[in-house]
Amino acid sequence: MTSTTAVMGNYGRADLAFSHGEGSWLISTDGDRYLDFATGIAVNTLGHSHPKLVDALTRQAGKLWHVSNLYNIPEQAELAQILAKRSGLDQVFFCNSGAEATEAAVKMARRAMHHMGHHNRHKILCAEGAFHGRTIAMLAATDRPAFREGFGPMPDGFGHFPFGNMNALRDQLISDAESGAPEIAAVMVESVQGEGGARPLPDGFLAELRAVTNEVGCLLIADEVQIGVGRSGHLFSFEPSGIKPDIIAMAKGLAGGFPIGAVIATEAVGSAMTPGSHGSTFGGNPLAMQAACAVLDVLDADFLADMRSRSAMLFAELDGLKQKHQAIIEIRGNGFLIGLVLADHLTPLDVMAACRAHHMLVVPAAANTVRLLPPLNVRTEDIHHAVAVLDTVLSACEEKASHNHD
Ligand SMILES: *Cc1c(COP(=O)(O)O)cnc(C)c1O
């Protein structure tokens, strides 16, 4: 297919464009209203045109857009303090995207080991099915062979363990520690794999992982890029497990739609990052900082408690759909990162296209899963509407599939 624009063809795009948004709704350039259960892939935390976010950004836009990290940036200090306080960690580095955050998290883990005199501990273990971004290094961390095709060679220093399998992971960590020349610097996990199909780690996994990483002296990196910023129903998804990671990577929803990345680290890790060790021209830009402060201001304990009850309602309604439709074999995820695992005769792209035809946006994922990523402030009537659309779409998909079998 020849492209009709000068935009590179590296995305499979729907022939649809939007002119503006209001809350959980996007308005297309044709004037149609779409219910947004995609949120730009977990980015529009508070939907579209949230007055507090618009206000924070436009006020900053009239004052100062950019200064270099050669100077103090008070807006960074403000956001860093909020993130440190709410995570229980100590220091924050700012960048502009998820891959930059995960990559910086890996650099920090290696550097911290180096700083402590463990010069061989450079390896990062990730889960099978993980997605950590698309830079060359993060492609090695990400477990999607198709994404690597033609981009090799992959850098060394990354390995994978079977998803959710604590025994296998513990064996790898212990045998590395007992080898006499340990190589593993850190384990990096998403508590719910987003791109991997809204797959949550088994209950108790994070607590066991924290215990075994402490035992062998390696670091724990939480990739909260997608599940963080309240999407799990808690500001950080690991909160209910009671653990504290050494390093937390954040991005997507942190500034509600303004580009941002952040890495939160303990004092022990952060102290290895001496002046000149890492940097980013745009990282910690005042516009991004103000937008993120406004998002975090909205995501207080009351908001999150209310969100958890709306999430429970959505899960209950989806469970009803699963009873009714053989097309859904599993509902999984956490908070507002929800996966509908489809039966083999359906594909996520078919369901996504059918939803779009009914003016609702959803996101495909691996493992034959459709992802629902509503804004965290989605209203209950919009949740009911979404479930009604899915009901219609699944009935139509099933009918089509049964005709294909005739
Ligand atoms: C999206 C994502 C990334 C990469 O973020 P980009 O901003 O696209 O670079 C990394 N980790 C996880 C868990 C993600 O979902």
Side-chain angles (χ1 to χ4, degrees):
M1 207 176 83
T2 21
S3 160
T4 52
T5 75
V7 177
M8 199 172 280
N10 59 305
Y11 299 105
R13 299 176 191 269
D15 188 15
L16 184 60
F18 301 99
S19 63
H20 60 290
E22 296 162 0
S24 300
W25 294 80
L26 276 168
I27 294 87
S28 74
T29 47
D30 296 332
D32 294 323
R33 290 170 64 82
Y34 286 75
L35 180 57
D36 187 7
F37 269 44
T39 51
I41 315 193
V43 167
N44 304 99
T45 304
L46 298 172
H48 303 278
S49 313
H50 190 289
K52 284 195 176 161
L53 271 59
V54 172
D55 184 52
L57 199 57
T58 48
R59 265 197 293 152
Q60 185 62 39
K63 287 201 293 191
L64 183 63
W65 286 22
H66 176 81
V67 286
S68 164
N69 284 302
L70 291 168
Y71 315 105
N72 289 330
I73 299 179
E75 296 82 5
Q76 278 183 22
E78 185 187 345
L79 178 59
Q81 164 143 32
I82 296 166
L83 289 172
K85 180 153 179 260
R86 291 181 74 169
S87 66
L89 277 59
D90 305 304
Q91 303 184 359
V92 188
F93 164 77
F94 292 108
C95 49
N96 315 285
S97 69
E100 279 178 80
T102 49
E103 181 134 348
V106 166
K107 284 186 72 174
M108 286 177 202
R110 288 184 176 176
R111 178 85 170 194
M113 287 297 166
H114 177 82
H115 195 67
M116 291 186 281
H118 304 303
H119 300 291
N120 284 328
R121 296 191 83 150
H122 64 279
K123 195 168 170 182
I124 312 294
L125 281 188
C126 306
E128 287 176 0
F131 183 85
H132 297 299
R134 303 263 207 161
T135 60
I136 298 269
M138 287 308 100
L139 277 180
T142 290
D143 181 33
R144 288 269 214 121
F147 290 177
R148 297 182 189 155
E149 200 185 323
F151 295 117
M154 290 292 110
D156 275 345
F158 295 89
H160 293 87
F161 63 90
F163 179 83
N165 187 335
M166 180 48 69
N167 288 337
L169 175 55
R170 189 187 288 114
D171 286 351
Q172 278 192 60
L173 289 170
I174 303 241
S175 70
D176 179 70
E178 290 175 350
S179 67
E183 291 191 334
I184 298 172
V187 177
M188 177 157 70
V189 289
E190 302 158 82
S191 75
V192 181
Q193 288 189 343
E195 304 305 309
R199 279 206 296 179
L201 287 171
D203 286 344
F205 188 95
L206 280 177
E208 284 184 76
L209 177 58
R210 181 70 282 185
V212 66
T213 49
N214 285 345
E215 190 186 321
V216 302
C218 79
L219 300 170
L220 173 51
I221 304 173
D223 183 347
E224 293 270 316
V225 168
Q226 185 156 160
I227 189 64
V229 201
R231 192 152 287 278
S232 70
H234 301 272
L235 192 61
F236 300 95
S237 70
F238 52 79
E239 284 172 35
S241 74
I243 67 137
K244 259 202 261 178
D246 300 287
I247 304 174
I248 305 167
M250 309 193 73
K252 288 198 168 82
L254 181 55
F258 200 88
I260 190 170
V263 186
I264 316 174
T266 59
E267 167 77 36
V269 169
S271 63
M273 301 301 289
T274 49
S277 59
H278 191 49
S280 161
T281 298
F282 286 122
N285 175 289
L287 293 162
M289 300 297 101
Q290 295 289 32
C293 285
V295 168
L296 294 177
D297 196 42
V298 174
L299 300 191
D300 61 13
D302 289 343
F303 177 95
L304 291 167
D306 181 64
M307 182 207 137
R308 289 194 293 275
S309 70
R310 281 177 286 115
S311 160
M313 192 188 91
L314 175 53
F315 267 98
E317 293 188 17
L318 291 172
D319 216 48
L321 281 190
K322 176 170 166 275
Q323 308 298 327
K324 185 170 164 193
H325 297 280
Q326 289 178 346
I328 303 181
I329 57 178
E330 192 186 343
I331 310 280
R332 64 188 181 193
N334 196 349
F336 281 146
L337 197 184
I338 303 176
L340 313 182
V341 185
L342 303 173
D344 286 343
H345 63 279
L346 291 180
T347 71
L349 290 180
D350 289 339
V351 172
M352 181 173 75
C355 283
R356 208 164 52 234
H358 286 83
H359 291 185
M360 174 174 162
L361 306 175
V362 298
V363 184
N368 219 37
T369 305
V370 169
R371 247 179 308 169
L372 306 182
L373 296 161
L376 305 189
N377 57 351
V378 63
R379 297 179 310 176
T380 53
E381 65 248 49
D382 291 333
I383 291 175
H384 299 317
H385 182 79
V387 173
V389 170
L390 287 167
D391 193 10
T392 308
V393 161
L394 289 167
S395 297
C397 287
E398 276 159 2
E399 189 156 321
K400 203 168 135 208
S402 78
H403 279 283
N404 290 346
H405 286 177
D406 292 344

